[in-house]
Amino acid sequence: FNSTNDGTFYTSSSDGTICCTDLETGIPHTLMDCNPNGWNGPATWRMLYGMDINSDKGLLLVADNFGYVYLLDGRSKMRTGEPILMHKKGSKVVGLHCNPLQPDVLLSCGNDHFARIWDIRRLVGGSSLASLAHGRVVNSAYFSPQTGNKILTTSQDNQRLFTVKISIGRDSIFGNLDSPSREIVHSQDFNRHLTPFRAEWDPKDPSESLAVIGRYISENYNGVALHPIDFIDTSTGKLVAEVIDPDITTISPVNKLHPRDDVLATGSSRSLFIWRPKEDTNSARLQQEQKSKDFIIATAEKKSKRKFDDDSDDDFDSYSKGKKSNGKKQNAKSKTNLKTVKSKG
């Protein structure tokens, strides 16, 4: 969304266009077309992926499938300068995120197995301030929503979530960027027909530790294979809550938490689901007093059976060796009544 006008939003597309749409009229206006001459083969066809806005400069940043980033002036609706090579040439740049407190600090990630930090004021090829190496494709990278002093990345590197603590000064970045503060093993190694999983911060969590992400591996709930949505405490690496519904048997790779309310929006297959904490009359008063939110997550006779799908998405990873992750089947049985697990935020 436009940072100064929430009635206007921007979209980037795999057809190589950037559009600005007015919500009142619903009419899109094309700001840039990377393929003005149409289809001339995959060697020249540009697709746009990562996108973010520098609110201080009114600058729109968009990245493509060849490793380049484009800068557009949000006021003039025109492109500024030439495309800048940010990642390995020929690799997709799938994510861009400006720091919430210092928008000139930019975070990017891509299929060259790196997340990189940049200074937009000195944005030229090879000028990154830091590079965070991963073993495989980096699906997403986000600064923490309140201080911007943490980075959360989602990679296909042995199904890990990767967190780094940093401190951003006026012209420098402090922190151990050679290795992550924490690596969290999680099931997000997906097949080629799924939208990539991306762990995202809960913008309401003052500790900046709670993250939400869908799960690829299914669990057996009373004979029904379900794919939970996980809430993870990144400071400890522990699972705080898992959100499920017996009627939703599809995988939920897209999850967005509301910035103010306890609402979760989930994209799963061709459906959109809205989640809220479930309250009953007996617990509502206690919840109000304790100021905590409960999610109904399990039913009686829950049986957990985990397995890995052998179809990893190496189509999205032009640099991967194609090795498939091996997983051990785990079986756990626990008899319980309908229960709740408290989650932060």
Side-chain angles (χ1 to χ4, degrees), residues 205-274:
D205 178 22
S207 68
E208 295 185 315
S209 61
L210 190 64
V212 62
I213 183 171
R215 192 191 306 175
Y216 182 59
I217 295 179
S218 62
E219 290 193 14
N220 189 338
Y221 291 86
N222 293 332
V224 180
L226 301 178
H227 303 268
I229 301 163
D230 293 334
F231 285 79
I232 297 174
D233 186 339
T234 61
S235 63
T236 64
K238 293 183 178 180
L239 178 67
V240 178
E242 52 182 9
V243 182
I244 61 169
D245 188 305
D247 294 327
I248 303 176
T249 58
T250 50
I251 302 171
S252 302
V254 181
N255 297 280
K256 289 284 186 179
L257 285 163
H258 195 282
R260 294 177 299 278
D261 298 330
D262 291 305
V263 176
L264 171 68
T266 292
S268 183
S269 188
R270 292 174 292 176
S271 301
L272 180 67
F273 301 98
I274 305 298

Side-chain angles (χ1 to χ4, degrees), residues 152-165:
L152 173 65
T153 69
T154 309
S155 169
Q156 290 173 242
D157 178 17
N158 295 326
Q159 301 150 293
R160 283 188 173 91
L161 300 179
F162 180 108
T163 61
V164 176
K165 293 182 180 179

